Every structure is written in structure tokens, then in C-alpha cells.
Amino acid sequence: VTKATEEDKKGNYPEALRLYQNGVDYFLHSIKYEAQGTKSKESIRAKCMSYLERAEEIKKFLANGGPKKAKASADGGPSKKKSGKKEKSTDCDSALIPLL
């Protein structure tokens, strides 16, 4: 995921998207097979959601081919934009569907 955030900051969005997807897959594997305890799983799930949201932002950006850069937060996670819309709740475990 560190490489994903680096590529994201460089503006290499196709590679960042691929790396974020790999990171999310790894986190899902960790939740299912390696994490022990509720706190550990919740911490991993929160990171997973953060990177999944960022990957979805990049995917939309690439699909639109827009000239402006998709914003990344300092940690490489999704930018926090306030909109009048309610955020939809998604479970990280449902991220098994490929983003592309």
C-alpha cells in the first residue's frame, strides 16, 4: 500500500489503482485468516475501506479522463470532501468484486 500511495502522489494513477486493489485484497485476506480479535479486525477493516474509497476515486477519474488531478489526502487515503449527500455504508468484505 505504501507503493500505491507513492504512485498516487506521483500521478501514476493506473499503477496506483492496481496497487490499491492488491492492498485491499491483502487486507481482506488478513481479516479472514490472520487477524485475531475484534479490535484488530476493525482496525484492518478501516484501512481497507480507506484504500478502497481511494481506488474507487481513481477509477472514476481514469474513466472520465479528466484533466485535473484526483486529490489524495496526506496518508494517501481518500480525500475528505464534505458534500450534502449522505455517505453510503459499504462493508469491506464486499470488495471482492474487481474494481476494473
Side-chain angles (χ1 to χ4, degrees), residues 2 5-6 13 24 26-27 32 40 46-48 53 58 60 62-63 73-74 77 80 85 87 89 98 100:
T2 301
T5 57
E6 289 172 6
Y13 299 122
V24 168
Y26 176 79
F27 283 130
K32 189 170 183 177
S40 176
K47 280 291 186 184
C48 179
E53 288 172 7
I58 292 172
K60 287 178 187 175
L62 293 174
S73 67
K80 302 291 181 196
K85 297 179 184 177
E87 289 186 26
S89 175
L100 289 175

Side-chain angles (χ1 to χ4, degrees), residues 52-64:
L52 181 61
E53 288 172 7
R54 182 60 187 153
E56 288 175 355
E57 286 179 4
I58 292 172
K59 181 181 169 191
K60 287 178 187 175
F61 173 77
L62 293 174
N64 292 335

Side-chain angles (χ1 to χ4, degrees), residues 12-73:
N12 185 3
Y13 299 122
E15 181 66 7
L17 177 60
R18 186 186 69 77
L19 293 168
Y20 280 127
Q21 289 172 324
N22 289 343
V24 168
D25 287 341
Y26 176 79
F27 283 130
L28 291 173
H29 178 82
S30 294
I31 290 170
K32 189 170 183 177
Y33 297 109
E34 297 174 20
Q36 299 188 6
T38 305
K39 285 185 180 184
S40 176
K41 287 182 180 184
E42 286 304 314
S43 175
I44 294 170
R45 184 171 277 117
K47 280 291 186 184
C48 179
M49 288 302 298
S50 172
Y51 295 124
L52 181 61
E53 288 172 7
R54 182 60 187 153
E56 288 175 355
E57 286 179 4
I58 292 172
K59 181 181 169 191
K60 287 178 187 175
F61 173 77
L62 293 174
N64 292 335
K68 58 184 177 181
K69 210 176 192 181
K71 272 189 154 179
S73 67

